[in-house]
Amino acid sequence: MPVDRRVRGSTGLLGVIGNPIAHTLSPQLHNTLSTLLGNDHIYIPMRVMPEELVDAVKGLKALNFIGFNVTIPHKSAVMELMDEVSLEAKLIGAVNTVRIDNDRLIGDNTDSEGFAASFKEKAGTGFKGKSVVVLGAGGTARTVSVKVILEEAQSVTILNRTISRAQGLVAILKGIAGGLMSATHPDRVGWGGLESAKTAGILREADIIINTTSAGMYPDIGDCPIPPEYCMFTRNQIIYDVIYNPKETMLLKLARNSGCVAINGLGMLFLQGVRAYEIWTGVKIDSGMLINAFKAFSLALNDLQ
Ligand code: NAP
């Protein structure tokens, strides 16, 4: 049997902390990138309980990790352990990527960039001047909404099952929008219940509808964040679903049947990881390499379900 030379004394360490962690696809993505780029790095999953977060982060620093990803439930709590946090991560209220530079912990958020880049690639347009409806008011809704506001959408409307959460997110977003845009766009951020999609023309008038709820995610693949009979989209609308398992949710199927551009969350998952890898290595990954990496990564999705 040949000697396994994949991990050596000089191998650079990367990984992801979270709980649960067994389902993560990040090791497949980052280890594939290292193989394709010929980098001597290894990326490992690490289960960390909330009460162990401080010790775990100290440990990663002591163990000379190059950097690490942070996932549920630590994305907010890890912020206060950082020496520096990017503006975007501050606005989103979450760090998903940490670089360790000369013993300093530098926190960033690559989810928003992954979302925006994957959207633009498939939709062929950005958010400037667009009327955007976001379904959901959780962590991903904030990530997506902040990006859309930073890129000067004309309006953002948050629709959520739990109204108080929609109101809470809108209060945060109004603060951000106000800070960025002064008083010229006071009503550009609104909210409602998911059921308001049934009555008012909210969905019909939107240029872009983004689902950030987990409704429709495996195993509940028959679910839709809004009842199917109200998903009457028009051809010029763009429907984005952050869910990637299944690859086509009920919402996206209805959108595709209406002739809309329908985009799933696979590109977001992939590109947030690519951006994190670029932050750790300081190397921009070229488009040819990205295509190869995406093909390889897509196969990892067969591990799901
Ligand atoms: P979260 O903070 O827990 O928020 C969940 C949201 O989904 C809330 O708005 C919740 O509404 C809503 N929701 C849950 N079940 C629902 C149902 N049956 N009907 C209607 N609304 C429902 O979760 P998150 O971290 O934002 O994650 C949300 C989704 O994004 C997950 O599916 C996750 O896998 C996906 N995601 C994808 C990527 C990617 O890279 N593609 C990255 C991050 C997350 P209430 O407030 O009423 O409970």
Side-chain angles (χ1 to χ4, degrees):
M1 184 186 155
V3 173
D4 186 332
R5 297 177 200 280
R6 285 175 299 177
V7 181
R8 288 170 278 202
S10 57
T11 299
L13 301 176
L14 296 166
V16 53
I17 57 170
N19 180 49
I21 204 69
H23 66 287
T24 181
L25 291 172
S26 295
Q28 286 99 312
L29 170 58
H30 292 288
N31 289 322
T32 300
L33 288 173
S34 289
T35 303
L36 285 171
L37 293 162
N39 285 336
D40 181 19
H41 296 334
I42 185 165
Y43 183 106
I44 54 171
M46 294 168 283
R47 194 181 75 125
V48 172
M49 305 302 277
E51 61 277 16
E52 295 165 335
L53 180 65
V54 174
D55 288 344
V57 170
K58 273 188 198 156
L60 294 172
K61 208 162 130 175
L63 292 167
N64 270 324
F65 268 62
I66 298 169
F68 56 95
N69 281 133
V70 183
T71 188
I72 290 169
H74 307 308
K75 284 183 175 187
S76 301
V78 83
M79 285 182 78
E80 61 191 62
L81 306 178
M82 299 291 108
D83 296 300
E84 199 181 313
V85 175
S86 71
L87 174 64
E88 201 139 314
K90 279 185 197 155
L91 295 178
I92 292 165
V95 157
N96 81 330
T97 300
V98 179
R99 179 166 62 93
I100 304 177
D101 185 11
N102 282 327
D103 246 18
R104 282 174 58 75
L105 295 163
I106 302 168
D108 215 322
N109 190 307
T110 64
D111 283 331
S112 61
E113 219 176 298
F115 156 69
S118 65
F119 179 93
K120 289 172 194 169
E121 189 198 329
K122 297 271 188 219
T125 181
F127 307 105
K128 192 168 177 152
K130 297 289 194 317
S131 159
V132 180
V133 167
V134 175
L135 308 176
T140 310
R142 180 164 170 181
T143 303
V144 159
S145 306
V146 164
K147 192 68 178 172
V148 160
I149 286 172
L150 288 174
E151 300 209 356
E152 299 180 15
Q154 188 215 333
S155 68
V156 180
T157 306
I158 307 292
L159 303 183
N160 195 46
R161 182 177 60 180
T162 308
I163 296 280
S164 57
R165 265 186 112 183
Q167 290 169 320
L169 178 55
V170 163
I172 293 168
L173 296 175
K174 277 193 170 171
I176 292 170
L180 294 169
M181 308 297 291
S182 75
T184 51
H185 295 90
D187 297 324
R188 67 200 297 274
V189 187
W191 57 268
L194 275 177
E195 70 287 349
S196 55
K198 298 178 187 173
T199 47
I202 293 178
L203 291 188
R204 217 176 31 247
E205 283 155 25
D207 299 309
I208 298 167
I209 298 164
I210 304 165
N211 177 45
T212 70
T213 77
S214 39
M217 190 169 81
Y218 182 83
D220 301 314
I221 57 173
D223 287 0
C224 194
I226 30 185
E229 61 270 30
Y230 297 103
C231 296
M232 285 176 291
F233 305 123
T234 52
R235 292 183 70 81
N236 52 353
Q237 289 181 305
I238 302 165
I239 318 297
Y240 188 105
D241 197 328
V242 299
I243 293 173
Y244 51 84
N245 183 19
K247 286 182 189 166
E248 185 174 74
T249 55
M250 172 72 80
L251 181 74
L252 289 187
K253 187 175 176 190
L254 294 165
R256 183 169 55 79
N257 288 342
S258 304
C260 303
V261 176
I263 310 167
N264 69 20
L266 187 55
M268 173 178 175
L269 180 70
F270 176 70
L271 291 174
Q272 62 77 26
V274 168
R275 182 67 197 118
Y277 198 88
E278 289 176 339
I279 287 173
W280 294 323
T281 58
V283 175
K284 180 105 183 103
I285 301 175
D286 69 49
S287 54
M289 190 66 80
L290 277 186
I291 291 168
N292 284 339
F294 188 73
K295 276 186 198 152
F297 177 62
S298 298
L299 293 177
L301 280 190
N302 297 336
D303 297 350
L304 293 170
Q305 297 181 9

